[in-house]
Amino acid sequence: MTGYAALLRGIMPSNPAMRNERLRAVFEELGLERVASVLASGNIVFHAPAQDTAALEEHIQHALHERLGIPGGTLVRTGEELGTLLDSDPFPGLTHGRGSYLTVVFLKHRPAAPVVLPEDPDPLTRVVGYDPVTRAFLAVVDNSDPGTTPDFMAWVGRTYGRDVTVRTWLTVQRVARKLEA
């Protein structure tokens, strides 16, 4: 059995259809095993026979839409992929906080062209790198002023489309630990 993490876009825990117990139930109805949620923001871990993650994403998304009316996107990564990312220690010496908000921007699709970072860096964002295995940008965001949105996310949207989801580094660590348990 392979451990997987489903990173769901657009989940609002205040919406009754999007609560963890309802999300987990859809995954269990699909025959996935050891289903568990991590936090209340659309992170579901599970185990299943090894399979193509793109097909698994579509299968899960279809079920979420049919059963709960959730139109958002589903991105799936294996526990092995997340473990390798954690082992790479992409934020050495940094601590997650307001001025150093450690983020991982997961892309649904593998870029057709080599990844090129923005020419004009966002003053609020420092891109640490891109991990091709997890298809994720790693960035440190200055989130000191909560009313400001970094231009980096607009650049990601323009360059790679809307099929992305952002998780904090702390959340990625929690998801990976839950898969190992």
Side-chain angles (χ1 to χ4, degrees):
M1 295 295 261
T2 300
Y4 293 95
L7 309 170
L8 309 177
R9 289 184 63 234
I11 297 300
M12 297 172 291
S14 59
N15 180 333
M18 297 181 183
R19 292 207 175 114
N20 277 336
E21 63 273 6
R22 301 219 34 215
L23 296 172
R24 286 191 309 267
V26 171
F27 283 73
E28 290 165 352
E29 288 169 14
L30 292 174
L32 304 172
E33 298 179 17
R34 296 172 49 196
V35 175
S37 46
V38 181
L39 303 172
S41 56
N43 305 293
I44 305 291
V45 297
F46 60 94
H47 288 77
Q51 55 195 287
D52 177 64
T53 54
L56 188 55
E57 286 173 342
E58 286 199 32
H59 186 57
I60 292 167
Q61 185 55 53
H62 178 75
L64 288 169
H65 184 68
E66 286 290 312
R67 291 169 176 85
L68 302 178
I70 296 174
T74 301
L75 288 81
V76 173
R77 298 298 184 268
T78 66
E80 183 178 345
E81 290 170 333
L82 294 177
T84 301
L85 178 61
L86 290 178
D87 291 344
S88 75
D89 190 21
F91 301 106
L94 294 176
T95 304
H96 184 82
R98 271 237 184 263
S100 59
Y101 205 74
L102 309 180
T103 61
V104 183
V105 182
F106 291 97
L107 307 178
K108 184 173 182 83
H109 306 288
R110 191 166 307 286
V115 171
V116 178
L117 299 178
E119 291 176 23
D120 188 14
D122 180 336
L124 296 176
T125 306
R126 179 169 56 98
V127 179
V128 175
Y130 175 78
D131 181 67
V133 174
T134 56
R135 298 185 310 277
F137 282 101
L138 304 142
V140 182
V141 177
D142 180 348
N143 202 21
S144 300
D145 181 2
T148 349
T149 303
D151 290 338
F152 173 67
M153 287 309 299
W155 174 82
V156 168
R158 284 190 311 275
T159 309
Y160 297 103
R162 294 178 39 128
D163 283 339
V164 302
T165 192
V166 180
R167 296 296 186 270
T168 68
W169 184 240
L170 296 175
T171 298
V172 173
Q173 291 172 321
R174 286 181 181 123
V175 168
R177 277 195 303 268
K178 189 80 163 195
L179 273 170
E180 291 173 355

